Amino acid sequence: MSGKKNLNNYSAQKIIGRKIILRVLEKDDLKRTLAWLKDPSVNMYLSQNFCDYTEDQELKWFKFIQSSNNDIVFAIEDINTNLHIGNCALHKINWEKGACELGIVIGEKGYWNKGYGSDATINVIKFAMSELNLKSIKLNVYKYNRRAIKVYKKCGFKLIQTQKKNHLYNGKYWDTLIMEFKKT
Ligand SMILES: CC(C)(COP(=O)(O)OP(=O)(O)OC[C@H]1O[C@@H](n2cnc3c(N)ncnc32)[C@H](O)[C@@H]1OP(=O)(O)O)[C@@H](O)C(=O)NCCC(=O)NCCS
């Protein structure tokens, strides 16, 4: 058993990486976040279609996250400029099993392929394992998201299941990969 932590205790915490800082998402970050989620060239990689998502729905989601002891969402900031460039999150934390799910988006596309996503992933894994004392992190990724798969493999995630052709994108059915990071 992992031992339940109170996620409110992390509201002022900053996690410092090589290229990024992770801090808990704030209300002021929501407008920017919504614009990223609605951008088709970002949304094509996400598990939910945010095209019709409204500011009201996002605010409800934010209030849910704030009151949840099973979800924590971090803003990813560029360490040099403090610009908010994306978010990453641990969801569905199961304190009994020591398990959770990872989500990440670098919404500022000019920051893709520059190591920010890898650094955020490494640091959120460290936080989940060392601070929250979790033992396993799972995620879903579409097979066409080769960049994300590369990042996850590099950070220690292993493929544990392939859901065959269950995701329709661009007129074609694609596999969804389930990957897992396990504490050794
Ligand atoms: C996926 C994401 C978080 C990765 O972050 P990032 O900062 O762009 O990634 P990094 O620069 O840290 O690493 C990218 C790696 O993929 C590689 N890569 C890029 N395009 C690739 C491709 N088409 N095929 C294979 N590898 C690719 C890069 O060379 C790099 O590898 P390296 O470090 O060995 O050189 C970010 O691109 C993103 O948010 N994308 C949109 C939303 C998304 O896909 N979220 C994840 C949903 S599961």
Side-chain angles (χ1 to χ4, degrees), residues 41-43 45-47 102-107 111-119 121 139-142 144-152 154:
S41 52
V42 175
N43 188 257
Y45 298 114
L46 307 181
S47 54
L102 173 77
I104 181 164
V105 57
I106 303 285
Y111 281 78
W112 285 1
N113 292 324
K114 292 181 178 162
Y116 292 91
S118 298
D119 198 29
T121 304
L139 60 82
N140 293 354
V141 57
Y142 301 131
Y144 56 79
N145 196 352
R146 298 168 70 94
R147 177 175 39 234
I149 294 168
K150 176 84 188 287
V151 169
Y152 299 145
K154 213 167 56 170

Side-chain angles (χ1 to χ4, degrees), residues 21-32:
I21 293 175
L22 303 180
R23 58 157 177 85
V24 168
L25 194 77
E26 292 166 5
K27 200 174 167 196
D28 279 355
D29 302 317
L30 293 184
K31 264 210 165 114
R32 214 169 10 252

Side-chain angles (χ1 to χ4, degrees), residues 40-65:
S41 52
V42 175
N43 188 257
M44 63 180 276
Y45 298 114
L46 307 181
S47 54
Q48 192 180 335
N49 185 343
F50 289 96
C51 287
D52 300 324
Y53 207 63
T54 63
E55 284 187 16
D56 267 8
Q57 285 173 304
E58 195 192 27
L59 189 59
K60 275 196 190 121
W61 167 82
F62 180 66
K63 286 184 176 159
F64 162 76
I65 293 293

